[in-house]
Amino acid sequence: MSSVAENIKAIRAEIPETVKLIAVSKTKPAEAIVEAYQCGQKQFAENKVQELVAKYEKLPKDIEWHFIGHLQTNKVKYIAPFVHTIHSVESQKLLSVIDKEARKQNRSIHCLLQFYIAKEETKFGFSFDEAVEMLKSQEFTQFQNIIIAGVMGMATYTDDTDVILNEFKTLAGYFHELKNTFFLYSADFKELSMGMSGDYQIAIEAGSTMIRVGSSIFGERVYL
Ligand SMILES: *Cc1c(COP(=O)(O)O)cnc(C)c1O
């Protein structure tokens, strides 16, 4: 088995320099994160609030933490003091709570709008029309402590690469349409977070700027 450092090097060598590699460290111990950190990896993602807070407290403070899981509004306050980017914003309610909690901390939080693109009931996210409705709303114009940095989505879990490519292309289409309609003059709206261990090559082909890779870096996760 190859080491965390070797895996990161191999993935970095394979992807374009413009694509950001976010190391998904969920369920993995702090030691594994330190190993990745020591070879220059600074962006890590977690999907559970408690686990993210514990790792934040323990690990170097120049790590850029990303949140990628389903986020309950009553838990935003625990990560608002330090989280850099929340990939999984899937409602206006959640966005308004993130704005409020970020304001209390006197900081801004990058947010990605998560879209529902897969054929799986279990996945969360906006539909395109819902996102448009939110972006047009009066409330949205009042938000001051959030930075809408782009979009995120997860493809169907399948071996059919055509299905995956089509879903990623759909998300890329949403990104460009929102960019042209709402964010033409926003330099911040630039990220297309798509692609995981099993499908990041396809995501990059479809225009991904940010891949979220866990098991290909840290090995398979064991859920006890
Ligand atoms: C776990 C997870 C990943 C990483 O998955 P791997 O297949 O291990 O690369 C990426 N994105 C999200 C939202 C996840 O929950």
Side-chain angles (χ1 to χ4, degrees):
M1 221 178 74
S2 45
S3 72
V4 166
E6 283 165 353
N7 292 339
I8 287 181
K9 271 191 211 125
I11 295 168
R12 283 217 192 106
E14 184 196 341
I15 66 176
E17 258 178 66
T18 48
V19 173
K20 296 186 180 100
L21 173 61
I22 314 297
V24 178
S25 47
K26 63 191 188 196
T27 79
K28 298 296 174 180
E31 297 74 55
I33 298 176
V34 168
E35 191 183 344
Y37 178 84
Q38 282 168 344
C39 71
Q41 180 66 33
K42 292 285 156 66
Q43 296 172 308
F44 293 87
E46 292 283 335
N47 71 339
K48 297 267 189 297
V49 166
Q50 227 182 350
E51 188 175 344
L52 173 55
V53 170
K55 285 173 175 171
Y56 164 73
E57 284 169 357
K58 201 164 174 182
L59 287 159
K61 290 297 170 281
D62 65 336
I63 287 179
E64 185 182 294
W65 289 105
H66 291 228
F67 190 81
I68 57 172
H70 183 53
L71 182 56
Q72 289 169 273
T73 52
N74 61 345
K75 293 195 174 163
V76 174
K77 59 177 177 285
Y78 301 114
I79 61 172
F82 67 90
V83 72
H84 182 276
T85 301
I86 298 173
H87 291 233
S88 42
V89 176
E90 26 131 0
S91 71
Q92 181 157 352
K93 173 78 185 127
L94 178 58
L95 200 58
S96 78
V97 173
I98 295 169
D99 181 61
K100 190 181 79 189
E101 295 297 336
R103 188 168 320 132
K104 283 188 199 161
Q105 302 294 330
N106 199 21
R107 62 190 298 268
S108 293
I109 296 173
H110 290 74
C111 293
L112 302 179
L113 305 179
Q114 180 169 359
F115 284 91
Y116 179 83
I117 53 170
K119 288 169 187 56
E120 287 163 28
E121 298 279 313
T122 51
K123 288 178 179 161
F124 296 98
F126 284 101
S127 69
F128 187 72
D129 292 344
E130 286 165 353
V132 166
E133 195 182 317
M134 177 181 82
L135 294 170
K136 280 183 176 162
S137 73
Q138 176 61 27
E139 186 191 22
F140 181 78
T141 64
Q142 311 293 317
F143 295 151
Q144 286 177 12
N145 294 67
I146 50 156
I147 296 162
I148 303 290
V151 306
M152 180 272 217
M154 278 191 276
T156 303
Y157 187 73
T158 171
D159 290 335
D160 189 338
T161 54
D162 289 342
V163 168
I164 297 171
L165 182 61
N166 273 323
E167 290 173 355
F168 285 150
K169 282 183 175 166
T170 297
L171 186 61
Y174 293 170
F175 172 83
H176 291 294
E177 200 164 336
L178 295 178
K179 177 82 187 162
N180 290 330
T181 312
F182 298 100
F183 299 103
L184 206 48
Y185 302 105
S186 158
D188 295 314
F189 190 88
K190 60 175 196 257
E191 306 295 357
L192 240 171
S193 168
M194 56 185 192
M196 323 191 347
S197 293
D199 57 20
Y200 67 81
Q201 286 98 344
I202 304 171
I204 290 171
E205 195 184 320
S208 174
T209 66
M210 228 180 215
I211 58 173
R212 310 176 309 272
V213 180
S215 40
S216 289
I217 293 176
F218 296 107
E220 290 301 321
R221 285 177 297 275
V222 183
Y223 290 97
L224 299 174

